[in-house]
Amino acid sequence: MSPAHEAEETARAFATRFLDGSFDEATALLTGDGRDAVVDSFPDEFEDGPMDAGDALGEYWWGLYGQYGESEGVEVTSSECGTDGEATAHDGEVTVVFAFADGTEEARVETSGERVADFSFAPTYEIPEYVDEGAFTERDATVDADDVELDGVLAVPDGHGPFPAVVLVHGAGVHDPDGTAGASKLLRDVAWGIAGEGIASLRYENRLAAHEVDDGEYTLDR
């Protein structure tokens, strides 16, 4: 087996376990440094107490599921192998694409032999072409959800109102007000797009992003 092929197979095995929700099995394929890297890459504002690599993988998975729906598969798109420093010939950096019912997300997997030394998404967010950034203004807002206060953002078209308005509601998973998942900011894209058409909007963080909720009490803040 060539070094590139071995790196791709290692990355595929890890990515498949992650996508299937087998977080313990995926974690077992990580090196010690790989586990630390996965935890360190998770946004601090979404952490709710101590977190290990399996917890971080689970939170990433829920974020992707909430953004894109059911998972459909993994594709390896590219790999690079080298012998930098003490790396062996079968160390490499592999790009994988996770496919979902409503979109895809790209990630980078760095392999070390038959283990994974690093795993990270490649968030390269680009503002959609349909957005006119000069057509609206934004300001921070707070949503009173009875027992907690949720951070939100109000986008208001420029000009004289009143304006029609909508509330943008997040899906499942842990989301900030922009609905950030990897390189996507779905709720912000929608808010900015409709603001250019004269429609105001309020978007807010998922309760799970900052507040602990018992499994039996999951509901929709409205």
Side-chain angles (χ1 to χ4, degrees):
M1 183 182 297
S2 69
H5 185 63
E6 184 171 347
E8 290 172 0
E9 288 304 303
T10 298
R12 191 189 309 277
F14 171 81
T16 299
R17 286 163 174 76
F18 166 75
L19 196 62
D20 288 345
S22 302
F23 307 125
D24 289 341
E25 294 181 18
T27 299
L29 292 176
L30 291 166
T31 64
D33 288 343
R35 297 182 187 193
D36 291 341
V38 168
V39 173
D40 291 343
S41 69
F42 193 79
D44 293 339
E45 61 268 27
F46 291 158
E47 290 187 20
D48 184 19
M51 174 178 288
D52 61 22
D55 296 329
L57 291 176
E59 295 293 347
Y60 276 128
W61 187 93
W62 275 108
L64 292 169
Y65 173 79
Q67 187 78 9
Y68 300 119
E70 296 290 341
S71 60
E72 296 186 344
V74 174
E75 179 183 358
V76 175
T77 62
S78 64
S79 62
E80 296 180 3
C81 295
T83 56
D84 295 337
E86 298 179 357
T88 63
H90 51 286
D91 292 341
E93 184 174 305
V94 181
T95 300
V96 299
V97 176
F98 296 105
F100 300 86
D102 298 320
T104 61
E105 192 70 40
E106 184 176 293
R108 180 182 64 85
V109 179
E110 182 179 327
T111 65
S112 177
E114 296 182 351
R115 305 284 294 281
V116 172
D118 195 7
F119 170 64
S120 61
F121 291 94
T124 306
Y125 173 75
E126 296 183 2
I127 297 174
E129 294 182 359
Y130 57 76
V131 170
D132 180 359
E133 294 184 78
F136 62 93
T137 57
E138 288 193 318
R139 59 176 178 267
D140 293 336
T142 300
V143 175
D144 184 352
D146 294 331
D147 56 328
V148 297
E149 292 185 344
L150 304 175
D151 293 335
V153 181
L154 186 65
V156 182
D158 289 342
H160 299 289
F163 302 104
V166 297
V167 176
L168 302 178
V169 180
H170 47 70
V174 180
H175 292 297
D176 61 12
D178 290 338
T180 302
S184 301
K185 295 182 180 293
L186 178 61
L187 296 184
R188 189 168 87 170
D189 289 348
V190 173
W192 286 13
I194 63 177
E197 300 297 325
I199 302 173
S201 67
L202 171 68
R203 61 190 192 273
Y204 59 95
E205 67 177 341
N206 183 306
R207 178 185 291 248
L208 296 178
H211 306 283
E212 184 175 352
V213 179
D214 293 334
D215 290 346
E217 297 181 359
Y218 283 9
T219 185
L220 177 69
D221 286 313
R222 59 187 183 275

